[in-house]
């Protein structure tokens, strides 16, 4: 938040989701989503000079946190059919949620989405419609399919049910910290459209009022960081490239930005090279497969872009859906092919 | 056990460790070892036609279960200095345990051990002494260093403290199954010297008397499976090759075999190709990095070497310390270089 701005009480006096919606989402997700581990590692702590706690959402069902919001939304809305657009993780989340609830699902995915994400979406029983990211507008395709089929569109982040569901990541972090007698000073979250960090900030900010929460984005796609500084939603400049395929949203969500401008301390940006280094660290030390977009917060921690000395910092790994060829290239230290 | 043999009550009337020693080890390890997750996955269940529960020990500190036994042994023995021989996972386990307890550690490792294992052992502060697997006998080197330095030798498996510590894997599985209201029919464990499976069988067999526990070994190194059939300890034939570097013990341990012949239903062997397929599955679906030796039980489950239909089966992933080059080769589907 900007210093001149008096913070409104979180989620009161307006239509934004509040902490109680995260708690309600947690009740719906009980026994359906996994409580993912919050991992400590001495050698990581030695490296940054502080205490790090790693939230391992690649171990979530469908390989990312996105299942949480998707299931919460479908449980709340109970649609006859569902359509979603997604580069891949929201796709899988919606597909598994729809399968569990017996709802037909159609997913609009970029034709160049990682093959592992498309295959997994289809394996959960969803129909996949591919589109050209450079010539077609996914929102239009999703709206057309929704109209044609009487399906409900589930947006990837700008939806209060989605935000509340993703917020259960933050709620679990709260519970896991309290169980260890820890109060985190900082939290670093990967950020695309902003659903994960905004929902999680509702929980973390309610229980740890002094926590400093930062979103982390790829360089060239740091629209949320710049928007937080400007106090208004700004788009990414054209021509940026990054291999963090999950984090290429063009502009912060309206709903998510309204929350984030209140709840976040700021935003950081990391390079693809720093992300690749974080993926290698997670492989060698944590034994967890992390996709590029899922590794940006760890990249910010390891690259020293924020001072973590003598602090307790939560770092969220948000997903692990990465093609084996790209993962092998990263392990070999070859500069990954950037995307735009 | 063989049908003609009357089973002795577990751990009574002889010098073998019993379930109460596993419980004591769990008390020592509380807050020091991680409770690793027991993961379910619908698509895995669909594939085998039964319910699978995956115990994820690559997420343990040091990347394998070996820390459990090493810490338990050092806590019980409180030596002034420690020496161990290991291809890598016991090495890291002893190194971290010694560091936590402030005990100087010297580890005798094969000169061709995976680089990631040697580097991690040194990063935990241990001194590493390399030896030639084809010309030197590690037991002799370990004994010489122990004599010269007044250090206590910690064997990798044939030690009741080690067996009890590794048995906490089985104890956690018991607790995690009971918390979900599940009684497993089968359990599959990777097996080198037999410490993990024997200790875990003490816990599983005590709480689930009808469970059928199998060890899984690489083809050509299935000494425990053959010994179980023969009713006596048999060595591996010379000339076998496998890339499962953690599971190349030449003959079952005396102590571990005395337990395993009572507690196990039998043993299975898998090929390197089946192991590589299991590693790829863990990467793509579980998002967990598994080393070759850590993936043999999953390989047995996925390859249909045992009928898991309509059963509840626990499958243990035992470690994740694999060099990035080898992991990248496995992801690419290239036949890994075998070892002997």
């Amino acid at each position: 938040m900007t210093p001149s701005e008096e913070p409104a009480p979180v989620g009161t006096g307006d239509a934004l989701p509040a902490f109680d919606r995260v708690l309600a989402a947690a009740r719906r997700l009980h026994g359906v989503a996994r409580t993912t581990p919050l991992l400590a590692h001495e050698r990581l702590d030695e490296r940054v000079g502080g205490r790090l706690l790693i939230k391992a959402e690649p171990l979530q069902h469908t390989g990312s946190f996105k299942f949480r919001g998707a299931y919460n939304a479908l449980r709340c809305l109970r649609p006859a059919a569902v359509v979603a657009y997604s580069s891949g993780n929201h796709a899988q989340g919606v597909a598994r949620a729809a399968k569990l609830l017996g709802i037909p699902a159609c997913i609009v995915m970029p034709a160049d989405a990682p093959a592992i994400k498309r295959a997994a979406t289809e394996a959960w029983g969803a129909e996949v419609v591919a589109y050209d990211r450079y010539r077609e507008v996914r929102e239009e395709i999703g709206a057309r399919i929704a109209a044609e089929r009487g399906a409900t569109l589930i947006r990837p982040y700008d939806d209060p049910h989605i935000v509340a569901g993703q917020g259960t990541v933050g709620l679990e972090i709260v519970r896991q910290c309290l169980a260890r007698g820890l109060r985190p000073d900082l939290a670093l979250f990967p950020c695309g459209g902003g659903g994960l960090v905004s929902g999680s900030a509702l929980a973390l900010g309610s229980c740890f009022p002094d926590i400093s929460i930062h979103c982390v984005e790829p360089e060239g796609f740091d629209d949320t960081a710049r928007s937080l500084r400007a106090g208004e939603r700004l788009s990414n400049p054209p021509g940026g490239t990054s291999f963090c395929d999950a984090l290429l949203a063009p502009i912060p969500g309206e709903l998510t930005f309204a929350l984030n401008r209140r709840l976040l301390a700021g935003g950081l940006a990391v390079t693809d090279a720093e992300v690749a280094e974080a993926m290698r660290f997670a492989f060698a030390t944590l034994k967890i497969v992390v996709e590029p977009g899922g590794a940006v917060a760890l990249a910010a921690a390891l690259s020293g872009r924020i001072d973590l000395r003598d602090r307790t910092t939560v770092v969220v790994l948000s997903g692990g859906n990465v093609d084996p060829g790209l993962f092998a290239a990263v392990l070999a230290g070859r500069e990954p092919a950037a995307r735009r």
Side-chain angles (χ1 to χ4, degrees), chain A:
Chain A
M1 93 194 76
T2 55
S4 62
E5 186 182 61
E6 181 67 21
V10 172
T12 58
D14 58 27
L16 295 178
F19 182 37
D20 58 355
R21 291 187 73 159
V22 180
L23 291 167
R27 293 194 295 274
R28 289 181 201 106
L29 286 163
H30 182 74
V32 182
R34 239 174 226 146
T35 299
T36 54
L38 187 69
L39 302 167
H41 198 288
E42 299 100 326
R43 298 231 312 279
L44 186 51
D45 292 356
E46 286 167 14
R47 176 159 167 176
V48 303
R51 184 198 297 268
L52 286 199
L53 300 166
I54 307 290
K55 182 67 169 167
E57 281 293 292
L59 304 182
Q60 187 54 261
H61 292 289
T62 73
S64 90
F65 71 96
K66 290 278 192 178
F67 168 71
R68 298 171 183 262
Y71 185 84
N72 187 53
L74 294 193
R75 270 288 304 277
C76 291
L77 300 171
R78 293 277 182 187
V82 65
V83 61
Y85 43 80
S86 163
S87 67
N89 284 335
H90 180 57
Q92 291 178 67
V94 170
R96 179 174 186 252
K99 185 178 184 188
L100 291 181
L101 296 168
I103 299 168
C106 174
I107 311 290
V108 182
M109 293 182 79
D112 61 347
I116 194 172
K117 293 185 176 179
R118 175 167 182 156
T121 303
E122 291 176 330
W124 289 113
E127 177 192 354
V128 171
V129 174
Y131 76 102
D132 181 335
R133 286 197 300 136
Y134 305 107
R135 296 163 190 272
E136 299 179 276
V137 178
R138 65 183 190 176
E139 287 79 0
E140 291 173 6
I141 299 170
R144 176 168 50 75
I145 292 172
E148 285 171 5
R149 305 188 184 189
T152 299
L153 177 69
I154 304 293
R155 292 174 205 282
Y157 46 85
D158 232 358
D159 174 318
H161 303 300
I162 295 291
V163 167
Q166 321 303 32
T168 62
V169 173
L171 181 61
E172 283 181 15
I173 293 167
V174 169
R175 284 171 33 211
Q176 292 168 317
C177 286
L178 293 177
R180 301 180 202 185
L182 295 175
R183 188 179 62 180
D185 302 300
L186 290 159
L188 306 179
F189 283 84
C191 181
L196 172 62
V197 65
S198 62
S200 294
L202 286 172
L204 286 164
S206 291
C207 300
F208 302 122
D210 297 332
I211 193 170
S212 176
I213 303 172
H214 294 258
C215 64
V216 185
E217 297 167 297
E219 269 192 8
F221 295 87
D222 59 341
D223 48 303
T224 295
R226 289 184 302 105
S227 299
L228 289 170
R229 285 194 291 274
E232 62 177 333
R233 293 164 67 225
L234 300 178
S235 298
N236 289 312
T241 61
S242 170
F243 79 139
C244 299
D245 61 280
L247 303 183
L248 306 187
I251 185 169
E254 283 187 54
L255 171 64
T256 52
F257 185 67
L259 289 168
N260 284 333
R261 70 198 300 262
R262 285 191 192 163
L263 300 168
L264 303 198
L268 305 166
V270 292
T271 67
D272 279 2
E274 289 167 339
V275 171
E277 175 63 24
M279 292 170 68
R280 287 189 287 271
F281 184 91
F283 165 85
T285 304
L286 305 173
K287 313 303 176 190
I288 297 174
V289 177
V290 189
E291 66 182 277
V296 292
L298 181 61
L302 293 178
S303 62
R305 288 189 175 265
I306 184 167
D307 187 2
L308 307 179
R309 282 174 298 178
D310 303 322
R311 311 287 194 89
T312 295
T313 303
V314 174
V315 173
V316 176
L317 306 177
S318 56
N321 293 312
V322 49
D323 275 342
L326 173 59
F327 197 77
V330 168
L331 289 187
R334 292 199 301 273
E335 187 66 13
R339 299 172 59 133
R340 62 179 171 88

